Amino acid sequence: MSDARSTVPLWCDLSHLGEAAHDRLTHVLQTPAEGVLLSSGQVPETPLPDRVRTAVLVRDAAELEKLDPKRPLTVIVHDAALLGRLPAAWRRGLWIEVDDGESMHAAVAALGQVDVLVVSFSDETNIPLELVIAEAQHHTTTVIKRVRSIGDALVTRGVLQHGPEAMLLRVDTPADVAALGNAFAAFATERVDLVAAEVTQVRSIGMGVRGCVDTADLLAPDEGMLVGSTSSGGLLVCAEVHYLPYMNLRPFRVNAGAAHSYVWAPGGRTAYITDLAAGEPVLVVNTSGGARPAVVGRIKSEIRPLRLIECRVGDAFINTIVQDDWHVRLFDADGKVRNSTTILPGDRMMAVAAKPGRHVGIAVSETIVEV
């Protein structure tokens, strides 16, 4: 399974912006980024919020003189000879350009010698990073990889499953900052408020198109996807990770529901099954309400017998239409796996409830009735 994180291990490099860094810093503080890299002349007099780590890039001895030696700072130097001149109150950092085997070994040798190691790789391969991360397990040094795009950052975070402790991305404009926040919002962990929904009716409704959501991930026995016919809510449908007597398990798949159904996605969004496509994120939810994104690999649609499961949540009614077959399972309100054909009126199922009203998958405040 993916190693999802609740924080975004990404730093924004503003050190090249001069006086414009102050404006960009305001925008960065509104994103999930957890750190910034500034030049010696950009350090604000007022410390940044505790959740945002601050590092200062120093290129020569003259820039050291601009910094308050008593102020606790993380200082990154290009020249290892400057490390000996850093005051004891500062965290020591080193920036290394890795473009061959010798420089890669220099990066490994720095582990344990500095508090922070920033590595910038000239080649696109992540093999040198894998070697540095593997060695870093034995040291307390924080490894930060310089990345060149948001796409690079999304790939880097999965190197050796968990990636480096942080990534450093050069930020030029407010639009860069907005794109950064949007990209990582889709890959952050979430919480879903699951509720008990009382089953009011279950019946076979004939033939229709149902879609399986196949992901590029592996789901756990307590995980599934939220699927519903209306924006008012849906039921938690299990992944195909439970015993099947006649076929192999498909731990990447959720036999989700009829083609018209909503599937819950990251960031409070929903998507019609027919709108999902390879490369898009969906939300994988466990029975405790923990949620993480998974990337869609494909949608497999076929004509099958369908079954309607209608439930009451408070004064509202929701329903989920699934394939009418024993092997399709859903979670009940106690987190137990239930075969869809054994669910009866009066049973309590695990569900999500929401205010009705969606436009292209985004919740909107409007009057809407769905039946």
Side-chain angles (χ1 to χ4, degrees), residues 286-297:
N286 66 28
T287 53
S288 298
R292 61 183 179 86
V295 175
V296 173

Side-chain angles (χ1 to χ4, degrees), residues 29 51 93 98 132 139 157 167 170 193 203 218 221 265 312 315 368 370:
L29 293 178
R51 71 169 183 84
V98 175
V132 173
H139 302 280
R157 76 193 300 271
M167 294 164 284
R170 175 171 169 157
D193 292 327
R203 59 188 175 93
L218 299 177
R312 179 191 292 113
D315 296 328
I368 183 171
E370 297 172 290

Side-chain angles (χ1 to χ4, degrees), residues 21-306:
H22 177 75
D23 176 60
R24 303 297 183 273
L25 187 57
T26 300
H27 290 89
V28 166
L29 293 178
Q30 299 173 20
T31 75
E34 66 176 30
V36 293
L37 179 67
L38 305 172
S39 69
S40 57
Q42 296 170 336
V43 180
E45 294 184 6
T46 304
L48 298 181
D50 290 341
R51 71 169 183 84
V52 181
R53 304 178 188 179
T54 307
V56 183
L57 183 63
V58 171
R59 293 177 175 81
D60 54 47
E63 292 188 1
L64 286 178
E65 304 301 324
K66 300 178 182 179
L67 301 175
D68 181 356
K70 296 181 181 179
R71 183 173 178 176
L73 294 171
T74 297
V75 176
I76 312 294
V77 300
H78 279 283
D79 184 357
L82 292 176
L83 290 172
R85 302 185 57 175
L86 303 186
W90 294 354
R91 297 186 74 220
R92 296 148 43 94
L94 180 64
W95 181 304
I96 293 184
E97 299 282 344
V98 175
D99 53 14
D100 55 21
E102 182 179 351
S103 53
M104 187 197 70
H105 290 303
V108 171
L111 297 170
Q113 306 301 312
V114 294
D115 300 301
V116 178
L117 176 66
V118 178
V119 283
S120 177
F121 298 94
S122 61
D123 297 320
E124 293 185 0
T125 175
N126 277 310
I127 291 177
L129 176 62
E130 292 177 3
L131 297 172
V132 173
I133 292 175
E135 292 287 347
Q137 296 178 94
H138 311 294
H139 302 280
T140 58
T141 300
T142 296
V143 175
I144 301 177
K145 180 198 172 185
R146 180 195 181 197
V147 293
R148 290 173 169 76
S149 67
I150 292 174
D152 186 12
L154 295 176
V155 172
T156 295
R157 76 193 300 271
V159 173
L160 292 189
Q161 192 169 354
H162 56 73
E165 291 188 53
M167 294 164 284
L168 177 68
L169 176 66
R170 175 171 169 157
V171 171
D172 292 306
T173 69
D176 292 337
V177 180
L180 170 68
N182 291 336
F184 273 86
F187 287 86
T189 57
E190 301 181 20
R191 294 291 306 176
V192 175
D193 292 327
L194 297 175
V195 298
E198 182 185 356
V199 178
T200 53
Q201 67 164 314
V202 182
R203 59 188 175 93
S204 299
I205 58 173
M207 305 296 288
V209 176
R210 71 95 175 93
C212 292
V213 181
D214 289 353
T215 72
D217 209 332
L218 299 177
L219 279 67
D222 67 340
E223 290 183 317
M225 294 178 193
L226 291 164
V227 182
S229 293
T230 69
S231 59
S232 298
L235 301 180
L236 187 56
V237 182
C238 302
E240 291 191 0
V241 295
H242 304 285
Y243 172 71
L244 295 172
Y246 306 112
M247 58 186 292
N248 293 330
L249 301 182
R250 303 286 189 264
F252 53 82
R253 171 177 296 169
V254 173
N255 190 334
H260 70 280
S261 304
Y262 283 121
V263 176
W264 265 247
R269 293 174 176 252
T270 58
Y272 292 121
I273 286 181
T274 52
D275 284 346
L276 288 173
E280 297 186 3
V282 289
L283 202 62
V284 172
V285 182
N286 66 28
T287 53
S288 298
R292 61 183 179 86
V295 175
V296 173
R298 67 170 178 170
I299 301 299
K300 182 170 177 279
S301 299
E302 296 162 317
I303 297 177
R304 292 289 187 268
L306 299 178

